[in-house]
Amino acid sequence: MTPTADSEIAARKLRHVEACLLPASQYAGVTTGLETVPWPYRALPERNLSEVDLRTTFLGHTLKAPVLIGAMTGGAERARRINAHLAQAAQKLGIGLMLGSQRVMLERPDTAPTFQVRELAPDILLIGNLGGAQFLLGYGAKEAIRAVRAVGADALAIHVNPLQEALQRGGDTHWAGLTARLAELLPDLPFPVVLKEVGHGLDARTVAAVADLGFAALDVAGAGGTSWARVEQLVEHGAVISPDLCEVGVPTAQALKDARATAPHMPLIASGGIRSGLDAARALSLGAQVVAVARPLLAPALDSAEAVEDWLANFIQELRVALFVGGYPDVSALWAGGGPSRASSTESG
């Protein structure tokens, strides 16, 4: 790798970060749909706020709140600082972290330190990340295992992003046969694997196609937050030149409803435009086991681990308050019939 090529890769990673910080990176006309999900209010919740239990178990790990820090970046020095700050905050709060795409790490091992955060966060649920298209271009179990082991991860996310790739200069546009390829791959992987979109949503047909392949969870990553189609156009052209196309996707609330109806027993991650604790509560009420947040943490992560922790602590407190005023004693009550049980809503605390 020449110094020029090395600088170009680092510069491209930084352009992605800078583009994501721009308001133009967000969907312009599509919302998550979470704002339309009713939320109950109990004037007599009959429990103390401090007693609302947010703990949950996901992919075999106990989380202090049903929250993951979503996939962002890696491969450049600035990305290393971002990931370090995210990991430190996750460790402090007892939540999970999903890394950005590790393809650059596999192809340029010198970038591995920008992803290696395990020493900073020895106890967290850590999820590696590779692009699904790469498994049609030569990647196999060896590369997937290497990605996980090199960072000490507990699981791997495989992301699918055809719209982003189609609008990216030199993007991967060969997708025929990927479902069958993943079916071959999954039995050879000795850790949980998550299938995720990147912000345009997992549709019901895709969920049906992969429901029995052996994925441990699905991340619906719905439309309404960051549009990676917009990000690619901002990076390439400095403007969004295909605004209608960049609005294509399944809104987060609809993606959750469709995934839950199509694969009733599949663990789900809700991401895509989750911006508040009430968004998180509504997403959990639609059947998600955990939520993932990325873009709101990018600016704090450029600052410090403390800034990330502060944002997340407020987010988690908002989630606690939402459950408190909704009459829910804990996260599991959200999945028990769509509302607080009679017993849990009348017990005193």
Side-chain angles (χ1 to χ4, degrees):
M1 182 69 64
T2 66
T4 299
D6 181 73
S7 299
E8 172 55 29
I9 290 174
R12 178 159 51 85
K13 292 293 182 181
L14 292 178
R15 287 197 296 271
H16 275 133
V17 170
E18 291 163 358
C20 285
L21 290 168
L22 297 173
S25 68
Q26 305 299 288
Y27 279 87
V30 175
T31 71
T32 65
L34 292 170
E35 72 280 0
T36 68
V37 177
W39 190 254
Y41 179 76
R42 294 289 178 89
L44 288 172
E46 292 293 349
R47 66 177 40 82
N48 301 323
L49 175 61
S50 61
E51 295 171 343
V52 175
D53 189 358
L54 298 183
R55 290 175 298 175
T56 194
T57 300
F58 187 66
L59 300 183
H61 285 254
T62 299
L63 306 177
K64 291 184 178 179
V67 178
L68 305 177
I69 297 174
M72 291 193 216
T73 188
E77 173 59 26
R78 200 176 189 187
R80 183 194 65 78
R81 294 197 301 272
I82 290 171
N83 285 335
H85 294 157
L86 296 174
Q88 289 169 314
Q91 175 70 20
K92 188 73 175 292
L93 295 169
I95 61 175
L97 170 62
M98 185 182 294
L99 296 171
S101 176
Q102 293 172 261
R103 176 186 174 188
V104 64
M105 187 197 81
L106 294 184
E107 299 183 2
R108 290 190 48 230
D110 60 296
T111 65
T114 69
F115 294 93
Q116 291 169 333
V117 298
R118 181 52 93 185
E119 288 189 3
L120 298 172
D123 304 313
I124 69 168
L125 169 62
L126 182 63
I127 304 173
N129 189 350
L130 287 173
Q134 297 309 305
F135 292 97
L136 290 174
L137 297 171
Y139 278 25
K142 178 182 177 181
E143 287 74 19
I145 293 170
R146 182 178 155 209
V148 167
R149 289 180 176 170
V151 296
D154 304 294
L156 177 70
I158 295 178
H159 66 264
V160 289
N161 57 337
L163 180 55
Q164 178 190 356
E165 295 287 351
L167 295 180
Q168 180 184 108
R169 178 163 54 95
D172 297 316
T173 56
H174 299 286
W175 289 73
L178 183 54
T179 304
R181 179 70 185 98
L182 294 174
E184 295 172 351
L185 173 71
L186 290 179
D188 295 330
L189 299 181
F191 39 72
V193 182
V194 176
L195 184 72
K196 74 180 295 334
E197 234 282 345
V198 300
H200 296 278
L202 288 181
D203 59 287
R205 289 179 63 184
T206 295
V207 172
V210 304
D212 296 323
L213 296 190
F215 285 104
L218 303 178
D219 182 350
V220 301
T226 300
S227 164
W228 273 89
R230 283 177 160 265
V231 170
E232 291 298 343
Q233 294 209 322
L234 289 167
V235 168
E236 180 65 20
H237 306 288
V240 177
I241 64 172
S242 305
D244 292 343
L245 194 56
C246 291
E247 295 289 294
V248 170
V250 185
T252 301
Q254 189 61 52
L256 283 169
K257 293 174 185 176
D258 291 348
R260 181 49 64 230
T262 305
H265 303 296
M266 175 69 73
L268 300 178
I269 302 171
S271 67
I274 306 293
R275 300 292 183 257
S276 70
L278 183 55
D279 281 344
R282 286 167 162 162
L284 294 168
S285 77
L286 294 179
Q289 273 62 51
V290 297
V291 302
V293 182
R295 201 257 186 176
L297 298 175
L298 186 52
L302 287 166
D303 181 7
S304 66
E306 292 75 20
V308 176
E309 183 184 341
D310 287 347
W311 193 96
L312 282 166
N314 183 68
F315 177 86
I316 292 169
Q317 181 65 8
E318 289 178 349
L319 173 58
R320 188 184 306 277
V321 171
L323 267 64
F324 171 63
V325 301
Y328 299 98
D330 51 44
V331 175
S332 65
L334 287 167
W335 311 319
S341 68
R342 182 176 179 84
S344 68
S345 63
T346 57
E347 65 185 14
S348 63

